[in-house]
Amino acid sequence: MAQGERYRLSGRLMEAKRGLVLEIDDGGVYALDADPAARDLLGLRVTVEGIRRGFDRIDVEWIGRA
């Protein structure tokens, strides 16, 4: 994935020391910069749309149940 591009990813929303993370099906993990209200979806399968910033960080523009 290239930085600065828009992506749509699905996986399980979890909380880690880094904050919210998305664990995708292939085993990858992305740190999310998301609205605090996203915590209502912890533990659920979600779809995230946003812009990639850095190696493994997504600036979330939208998040919802997958």
Side-chain angles (χ1 to χ4, degrees):
M1 290 196 321
Q3 291 185 37
E5 291 187 24
R6 175 179 297 282
Y7 287 92
R8 182 180 178 109
L9 302 166
S10 293
R12 185 164 308 279
L13 184 65
M14 306 299 289
E15 189 156 23
K17 290 180 184 178
R18 306 170 61 177
L20 293 178
V21 296
L22 181 70
E23 295 180 355
I24 59 175
D25 295 336
D26 71 1
V29 177
Y30 290 91
L32 304 178
D33 288 329
D35 186 284
R39 283 184 163 64
D40 292 344
L41 301 170
L42 279 172
L44 300 176
R45 185 162 172 75
V46 298
T47 297
V48 170
E49 293 180 0
I51 305 294
R52 182 173 177 205
R53 303 281 183 226
F55 175 72
D56 65 348
R57 181 161 296 277
I58 303 289
D59 286 340
V60 176
E61 295 177 338
W62 180 85
I63 186 169
R65 287 183 182 232

